[in-house]
């Protein structure tokens, strides 16, 4: 800056007064700001996001979490350095993937939203509300949140107590608020909504708190509900025959992770959580539809087109709430519309996303003893004696899963699917206990085996064969929840098991760069964006938003 | 003593009831009251009691605590002290009645009613506007906000209004009544780094007028006159001029009648979120 005039001091009172009055007059003569259409996020932007922006939870509708930005690449990554840190007020563990539009970043903390200058981390506005102390146990209770969605001048946010809010994108003013479901019934909000067309698509948490899972679409303009799909059928409805016993009344199947969308097929792909009670399955004999599924739902009508169930009659709390990734690729000799998912149950699945037909399923962890494989009919070939017992039964994967909600990524140049995998087994225990309103409904649980701490890996899976191309073993306590980001710079970024943000070569898995964030348990997935041609990498690390850029 | 206190409570209640009857607009709904109590908020006080307390305070207390209760060299700030913000009404009452031994705070041998009035006033100094009774017609106040007062040209409430000034959706939950009144009648920038007028000239000569959203030694975040965010590093600017005075007009006091101002205050005071819901919406629901 060449010169800065700081207007202060008593000697300038008169001129200041005139100046500010004139300035005010000048502003008042302008048409109201709201009447001018400023740059806004449109549905076209969401369909074809500019690589400089990050407009949805996974970066685009496909869920690949792959950015075309390549300024930061394998040759210059040694010059990547921290640019700024924003400690999120009130946070104790961040899970958010920030969104960025035109240099403005939106992050969520505990029941709060913050807008930041994405280049400097300086706060522009904040919206916050107190946590309800009377929530049923579960992820929503401490107020964890994975982020917002944007459309037009609105930012959409799910509160801890399962309300959907539309905030003004420019100042956080609450425009409308809709109660999704009653938090006293176990519903909570933890996921980032997904905007498609004029709709805000949401699910809820409460998957261990006896809810009846739901998938909703709300009018982005008014907050009015347009449709609802129940993931647990009512008695007598199709699918209810897969529940023998009384558990169907509190069957869970929660929808707590943001889904994906195929504009050509007009289908949403949304995954569902475990049945309840999680570990006691005797009162819900049958497959328990539509728990542990991916649902293909018409976005306009909310009608189910097809479903695929990863873990029928689950008794290990293996929610299928992992990102159902949409990939267009040649498969077995012909171009196909694929859906790939590395599931919490330990298998890597590739489906034809037009009809839900299973094309391939292979284990991506070695610690897997509940099923021999996935049969040609798409059903797991379950091995005997793998159900939880009152005494405890060692089964793999562990309850935290072979992977979990944290994001995988896919690089079309390498054809590799990058996923954080966990090698771990647990002792699973069960007990019969009836439903009690206002309490968790787990039917006991799982515990670590002291002599087998487990280990986390970053694994690269060839989507055409399901075979492991390379892996990156991590040192740590096997207790982190960080995901991955793939970039056209030939890099995979991920949070490791010791609190580091690490970048590896996408082709080989060789570590090229690392940064100790200081967080003891990373719990979010990285993202990237650009401002004025400069690329940034951001990770919510512990209680901080940390952003990196090249230094020259 | 206890019986006298009860009598005073009854008198206060009767006064409150009389107010509620005369101003049908402002029924104190029990649901709201219960929510406030559940949230650990102080009880509401009748404005007449606060006003009486204000007069007593000016006569007996302001010499040490300042006319606004914010303290002076002779006495502490009563808007922040632990006892007045967290203690019970009875604790504050006893503090006035008995004084503080070993300090310059003397004992005030006033009638119970007057001490109660002082307690109510002192509470009102640190109690946000949403939690006290504010007379006036909210509907008329709303019309002034969006009409004659031109407040909505710059301020927003629940998505309605302009972007130039701060969003006021929770103003009643954040500020005391006195702070709101002062900010209307004698506006001044609440923060040196927010909502001030600013003009910058970029390195390539572009001149941008707007209002500050944030600022530090190295960067500047403004909203330009078209409502677009423009974020700069200071090193990218050739020139920057900050306006010293608030952009808020300072003639609102003469523009509005006393009654209109009171109605506006009544409306603004009710702009507060309770767990995300406006207090006002609770009121409507409970009618």
């Amino acid at each position: 800056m060449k010169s800065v005039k700081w207007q202060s001091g008593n000697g300038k009172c008169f001129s200041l007064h005139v100046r500010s009055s004139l300035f005010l007059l000048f502003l008042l003569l302008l048409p109201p700001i709201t009447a001018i259409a400023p740059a806004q996020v449109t549905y076209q932007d969401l369909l074809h996001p500019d690589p400089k922006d990050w407009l949805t939870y996974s970066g685009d509708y496909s869920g690949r979490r792959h950015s075309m930005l390549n300024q930061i690449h394998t040759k210059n990554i040694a010059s990547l350095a921290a640019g700024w840190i924003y400690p999120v007020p009130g946070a104790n563990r961040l899970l958010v993937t920030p969104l960025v539009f035109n240099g403005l970043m939106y992050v969520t903390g505990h029941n709060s939203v913050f807008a930041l200058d994405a280049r400097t981390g300086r706060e522009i506005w904040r919206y916050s509300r107190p946590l309800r102390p009377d929530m049923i146990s579960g992820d929503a209770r401490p107020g964890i949140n994975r982020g917002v969605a944007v459309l037009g001048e609105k930012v959409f946010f799910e509160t801890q107590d399962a309300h959907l809010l539309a905030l003004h994108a420019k100042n956080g003013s609450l425009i409308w608020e809709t109660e999704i479901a009653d938090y006293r019934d176990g519903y909570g909000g933890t996921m980032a909504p997904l905007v498609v067309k004029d709709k805000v698509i949401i699910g809820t948490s409460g998957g261990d708190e006896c809810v009846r899972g739901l998938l909703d679409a709300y009018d982005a303009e008014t907050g009015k509900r347009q449709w609802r799909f129940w993931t647990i059928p009512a008695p007598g409805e199709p699918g209810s025959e897969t529940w023998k016993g009384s558990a169907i009344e509190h069957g869970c199947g929660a929808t707590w992770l943001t889904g994906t969308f195929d504009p050509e097929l007009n289908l949403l792909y949304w995954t569902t959580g475990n049945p309840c009670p999680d570990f006691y399955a005797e009162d819900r004999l049958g497959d328990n539809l539509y728990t542990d599924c991916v649902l293909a739902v018409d976005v306009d009508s909310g009608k189910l087109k097809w479903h695929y169930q990863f873990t029928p009659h689950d008794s290990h709390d293996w929610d299928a709430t992992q990102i159902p990734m949409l990939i267009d690729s040649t498969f077995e000799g012909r171009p196909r519309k694929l859906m790939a998912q590395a599931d919490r149950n330990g298998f890597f699945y590739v489906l034809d996303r037009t009809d839900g037909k299973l094309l391939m399923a292979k284990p991506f962890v070695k610690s897997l003893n509940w099923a021999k494989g996935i049969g040609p009919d798409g059903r797991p070939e379950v091995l005997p004696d793998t159900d939880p017992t009152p005494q405890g039964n060692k089964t793999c994967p562990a309850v935290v899963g072979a992977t979990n909600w944290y994001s995988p990524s896919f690089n079309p140049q390498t054809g590799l699917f990058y996923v954080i995998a966990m090698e771990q087994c647990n002792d699973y225990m069960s007990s019969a206990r009836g439903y009690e309103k206002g309490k968790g409904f787990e039917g006991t649980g799982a515990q670590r085996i002291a002599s087998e701490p487990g280990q986390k890996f970053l694994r690269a899976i060839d989507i055409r064969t399901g075979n492991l191309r390379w892996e990156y073993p991590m040192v740590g306590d096997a207790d982190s929840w960080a995901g991955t980001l793939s970039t056209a710079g030939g890099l995979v970024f991920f949070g490791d098991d010791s609190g580091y943000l690490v970048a590896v070569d996408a082709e080989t898995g060789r570590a090229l760069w690392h940064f100790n964030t200081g967080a003891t348990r990373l719990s979010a997935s990285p993202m990237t964006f650009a401002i004025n041609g400069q690329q940034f990498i951001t990770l919510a690390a512990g209680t901080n938003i940390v952003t990196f850029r090249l230094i020259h | 003593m206890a019986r006298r206190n009860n009598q005073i409570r009854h008198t206060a209640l009767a006064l409150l009831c009389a107010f509620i009857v005369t101003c049908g607009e402002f029924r104190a709904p029990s649901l709201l009251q219960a929510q406030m109590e559940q949230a650990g908020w102080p009880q509401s006080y009748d404005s007449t009691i606060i006003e009486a307390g204000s007069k007593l305070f000016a006569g007996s207390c302001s010499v040490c605590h300042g006319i606004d209760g914010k303290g002076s060299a002779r006495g502490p700030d009563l808007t922040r002290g632990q006892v007045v913000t967290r203690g019970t009404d009875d604790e504050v009452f006893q503090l006035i009645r008995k004084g503080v031994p070993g300090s310059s705070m003397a004992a005030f041998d006033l009638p119970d009613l007057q001490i109660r009035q002082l307690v109510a006033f002192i509470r009102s100094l640190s109690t946000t506007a949403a939690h006290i009774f504010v007379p006036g017609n909210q509907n008329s106040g709303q019309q002034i906000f969006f009409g004659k007062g031109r407040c909505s040209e710059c301020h927003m409430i629940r998505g309605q209004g302009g972007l130039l000034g701060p969003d006021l959706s929770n103003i009643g939950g954040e500020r005391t009544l006195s702070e709101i009144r002062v900010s209307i009648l004698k506006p001044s920038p609440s923060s040196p780094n927010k909502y001030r007028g600013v003009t910058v000239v970029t390195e390539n000569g572009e001149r941008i007028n707007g209002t500050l959203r944030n600022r530090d030694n190295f960067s500047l975040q403004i909203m330009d006159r078209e409502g677009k965010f423009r974020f700069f590093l200071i090193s990218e600017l050739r020139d920057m001029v900050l306006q010293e005075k608030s952009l808020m007009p300072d003639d609102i006091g003469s523009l509005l009648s006393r009654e209109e101002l009171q109605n506006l205050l009544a409306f603004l005071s009710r702009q507060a979120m309770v767990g995300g819901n406006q207090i006002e919406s609770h009121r409507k629901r409970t009618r």
Side-chain angles (χ1 to χ4, degrees):
Chain A
M1 184 159 65
K2 311 302 177 285
S3 72
V4 175
K5 289 176 198 137
W6 300 97
Q7 292 216 343
S8 59
N10 295 332
K12 284 191 167 183
C13 279
F14 177 70
S15 66
L16 282 176
H17 187 82
V18 172
R19 197 183 253 273
S20 44
S21 297
L22 286 174
F23 189 80
L24 179 65
L25 186 68
F26 164 74
L27 285 166
L28 288 177
L29 288 174
L30 289 165
I33 280 169
T34 44
I36 301 170
Q40 300 180 358
V41 179
T42 65
Y43 176 51
Q44 287 304 312
D45 294 329
L46 298 177
L47 277 173
H48 310 289
D50 188 318
K52 75 178 172 54
D53 296 322
W54 190 277
L55 299 179
T56 52
Y57 178 74
S58 294
D60 64 22
Y61 282 142
S62 75
R64 295 180 305 174
R65 206 169 271 255
H66 175 75
S67 169
M68 294 310 291
L69 296 178
N70 61 5
Q71 184 183 65
I72 301 164
H73 53 72
T74 53
K75 300 286 186 291
N76 65 7
I77 187 145
S79 302
L80 193 66
W84 56 261
I85 292 173
Y86 177 77
V88 177
N92 61 38
R93 183 182 167 216
L94 295 173
L95 280 72
V96 61
T97 296
L99 300 192
V100 171
F101 177 65
N102 277 348
L104 187 65
M105 174 181 284
Y106 301 101
V107 301
T108 58
H110 289 53
N111 233 16
S112 44
V113 184
F114 305 86
L116 311 175
D117 173 354
R119 191 161 54 147
T120 62
R122 298 293 288 175
E123 187 179 309
I124 305 300
W125 58 257
R126 65 169 76 178
Y127 175 89
S128 182
R129 65 166 64 183
L131 291 174
R132 279 193 192 277
D134 57 338
M135 290 282 294
I136 299 176
S137 63
D139 284 346
R141 185 179 160 81
I144 63 165
N145 193 281
R146 296 187 178 84
V148 296
V150 288
L151 181 71
E153 278 199 320
K154 296 189 184 73
V155 174
F156 305 98
F157 171 66
E158 264 192 58
T159 64
Q160 173 212 25
D161 56 352
H163 288 217
L164 179 61
L165 312 185
L167 305 176
H168 198 293
K170 294 290 173 66
N171 63 1
S173 188
L174 177 62
I175 297 171
W176 56 251
E177 172 169 2
T178 300
E179 183 186 59
I180 298 165
D182 193 335
Y183 75 95
R184 285 164 293 201
D185 291 334
Y187 291 96
T190 56
M191 54 154 282
L194 184 72
V195 168
V196 176
K197 301 181 184 178
D198 62 344
K199 297 170 172 59
V200 188
I201 314 293
I202 60 93
T204 74
S205 68
D208 305 321
E209 285 78 38
C210 330
V211 303
R212 182 184 182 198
L214 55 84
L215 179 65
D216 283 356
Y218 293 87
D219 184 324
E221 195 56 37
T222 64
K224 197 165 172 288
R225 197 168 82 209
Q226 294 181 329
W227 52 255
R228 167 168 290 177
F229 179 83
W230 290 107
T231 66
I232 307 293
E237 284 180 1
S240 62
E241 72 284 356
T242 65
W243 294 78
K244 304 273 189 307
S246 66
I248 188 171
E249 290 163 29
H250 305 284
C252 290
T255 45
W256 52 272
L257 188 67
T258 311
T260 55
F261 174 63
D262 184 330
E264 283 178 25
L265 299 173
N266 208 39
L267 289 178
L268 285 168
Y269 299 87
W270 216 276
T271 52
T272 64
N274 59 278
C276 284
D278 304 28
F279 306 100
Y280 179 73
E282 298 305 308
D283 200 19
R284 50 175 175 80
L285 300 176
D287 283 355
N288 309 143
L289 290 174
Y290 295 93
T291 64
D292 291 349
C293 283
V294 58
L295 307 172
V297 173
D298 183 282
V299 74
D300 292 322
S301 68
K303 296 274 183 288
L304 183 67
K305 174 105 187 275
W306 57 258
H307 75 275
Y308 178 81
Q309 190 174 37
F310 299 95
T311 315
H313 190 64
D314 174 20
S315 58
H316 298 93
D317 191 14
W318 287 332
D319 303 65
T321 40
Q322 291 78 53
I323 297 289
M325 193 187 287
L326 313 186
I327 298 170
D328 293 337
S329 175
T330 302
F331 193 86
E332 291 173 346
R334 68 180 177 98
R336 283 188 101 137
K337 278 177 167 288
L338 306 175
M339 193 214 90
Q341 176 161 326
D343 196 86
R344 188 160 161 177
N345 71 15
F347 287 95
F348 174 74
Y349 297 81
V350 177
L351 309 180
D352 183 328
R353 72 172 184 270
T354 61
D355 56 11
K357 186 171 171 287
L358 179 73
L359 302 177
M360 181 178 72
K362 283 191 182 175
F364 66 96
V365 287
K366 297 180 191 79
S367 309
L368 195 164
N369 70 359
W370 70 281
K372 197 168 66 177
I374 308 297
D377 58 353
R379 295 183 66 84
E381 296 160 335
V382 178
L383 294 166
D385 303 324
T386 51
D387 278 335
T389 61
Q391 297 74 32
N393 189 11
K394 179 179 164 179
T395 311
C396 327
V399 68
V400 293
T403 189
N404 210 303
W405 59 266
Y406 36 81
S407 292
S409 54
F410 174 77
N411 184 333
Q413 287 155 316
T414 62
L416 295 176
F417 181 101
Y418 305 101
V419 60
I420 306 264
M422 168 83 114
E423 296 285 359
Q424 196 181 51
C425 306
N426 275 165
D427 282 329
Y428 286 85
M429 281 157 290
S430 70
S431 66
R433 181 172 68 77
Y435 163 74
E436 287 176 68
K437 185 174 169 69
K439 290 194 174 163
F441 195 35
E442 290 89 355
T444 314
Q447 68 180 36
R448 279 192 173 207
I449 301 164
S451 56
E452 301 176 30
Q455 188 174 13
K456 300 207 80 167
F457 294 82
L458 172 65
R459 287 190 170 143
I461 300 168
D462 186 328
I463 60 145
R464 287 160 302 181
T465 62
N467 293 337
L468 183 69
R469 178 78 66 83
W470 53 256
E471 69 177 16
Y472 176 96
M474 302 181 208
V475 173
D477 296 330
D479 193 25
S480 58
W481 298 73
T484 74
L485 164 73
S486 163
T487 74
L491 296 164
V492 182
F493 291 88
F494 66 97
D496 86 355
D497 200 29
S498 301
Y500 282 73
L501 178 63
V502 180
V504 297
D505 187 315
E507 291 281 1
T508 64
R510 191 166 65 92
L512 301 174
W513 177 89
H514 59 269
F515 179 91
N516 183 1
T517 69
T520 50
R521 191 165 58 145
L522 289 173
S523 302
S525 305
M527 51 80 71
T528 185
F529 60 95
I531 298 172
N532 299 341
Q534 184 179 22
Q535 186 183 358
F536 296 83
I537 306 285
T538 293
L539 176 69
T543 57
N544 297 320
I545 305 294
V546 190
T547 293
F548 303 84
R549 80 284 186 253
L550 295 174
I551 48 169
H552 301 288
Chain B
M1 174 80 185
R3 213 180 70 200
R4 285 191 68 184
N5 274 350
N6 275 338
Q7 279 172 352
I8 291 159
R9 259 193 218 119
H10 288 146
T11 314
L13 206 63
L15 273 169
L16 184 65
C17 291
F19 237 90
I20 290 164
V21 172
T22 48
C23 313
E25 195 62 33
F26 298 107
R27 253 166 258 160
S30 56
L31 174 63
L32 174 66
Q33 198 71 38
Q35 279 179 339
M36 285 178 169
E37 279 160 18
Q38 200 180 0
W41 286 337
Q43 65 184 86
S44 307
Y45 301 95
D46 190 303
S47 66
T48 54
I49 297 177
I50 294 171
E51 202 169 328
S54 149
K55 286 180 184 146
L56 285 167
F57 189 88
S60 303
C61 318
S62 63
V63 62
C64 294
H65 295 292
I67 195 80
D68 56 1
K70 291 199 169 169
S72 74
R74 306 168 88 183
D77 184 345
L78 297 182
T79 66
R80 294 168 189 277
Q82 188 117 9
V83 174
V84 287
T85 54
R86 292 195 210 151
T88 64
D89 280 8
D90 274 342
E91 283 169 327
V92 180
F93 184 100
Q94 294 304 333
L95 212 138
I96 297 169
R97 163 68 46 84
K98 295 178 180 167
V100 180
S103 81
S104 53
M105 174 69 190
F108 286 82
D109 187 22
L110 297 169
D112 281 6
L113 174 62
Q114 292 190 7
I115 297 187
R116 286 286 159 208
Q117 288 166 339
L118 278 171
V119 171
F121 173 71
I122 291 165
R123 285 281 195 226
S124 78
L125 294 173
S126 55
T127 304
T128 54
H131 306 129
I132 59 168
F133 183 82
V134 181
N137 186 311
Q138 287 177 51
N139 291 338
S140 304
Q142 184 171 10
Q143 283 167 20
I144 290 162
F145 184 88
F146 289 101
K148 183 179 175 184
R150 302 177 70 179
C151 315
S152 65
E153 286 179 17
C154 298
H155 295 284
M156 193 175 273
I157 289 177
R158 287 182 76 101
Q160 300 295 312
L163 288 163
L164 200 60
D167 176 49
L168 301 183
S169 305
N170 194 33
I171 190 73
E174 289 168 352
R175 303 289 172 87
T176 65
L177 180 61
S178 150
E179 285 170 337
I180 298 174
R181 181 184 278 122
V182 168
S183 66
I184 292 172
L185 297 177
K186 293 178 185 167
S188 61
S190 58
S191 155
N193 303 323
K194 283 189 174 180
Y195 302 108
R196 284 171 71 180
V198 62
T199 302
V200 297
V201 181
T202 64
E203 272 189 321
N204 58 20
E206 189 189 0
R207 176 179 289 269
I208 297 153
N209 290 305
T211 55
L212 276 183
R213 286 299 178 271
N214 211 338
R215 169 172 89 95
D216 56 41
N217 279 91
F218 309 100
S219 71
L220 179 78
Q221 293 76 26
I222 69 179
M223 177 176 279
D224 73 12
R225 64 191 199 198
E226 290 173 347
K228 276 161 70 175
F229 285 126
R230 304 291 295 264
F231 302 153
F232 300 99
L233 301 183
I234 299 288
S235 59
E236 295 163 346
L237 298 177
R238 190 190 294 168
D239 200 0
M240 170 171 74
V241 181
L242 286 169
Q243 308 299 318
E244 198 65 26
K245 204 163 155 280
S246 171
L247 291 174
M248 175 125 165
D250 55 9
D251 58 352
I252 295 176
S254 57
L255 191 77
L256 300 180
S257 72
R258 201 186 145 95
E259 188 189 350
E260 286 171 329
L261 179 66
Q262 190 58 42
N263 293 340
L264 180 60
L265 285 169
F267 171 66
L268 291 174
S269 298
R270 297 275 77 80
Q271 303 310 314
M273 310 287 184
V274 178
N277 300 317
Q278 266 190 319
I279 285 180
E280 173 61 13
S281 62
H282 280 285
R283 278 175 179 268
K284 279 181 183 151
R285 233 179 280 159
T286 53
R287 272 181 199 155

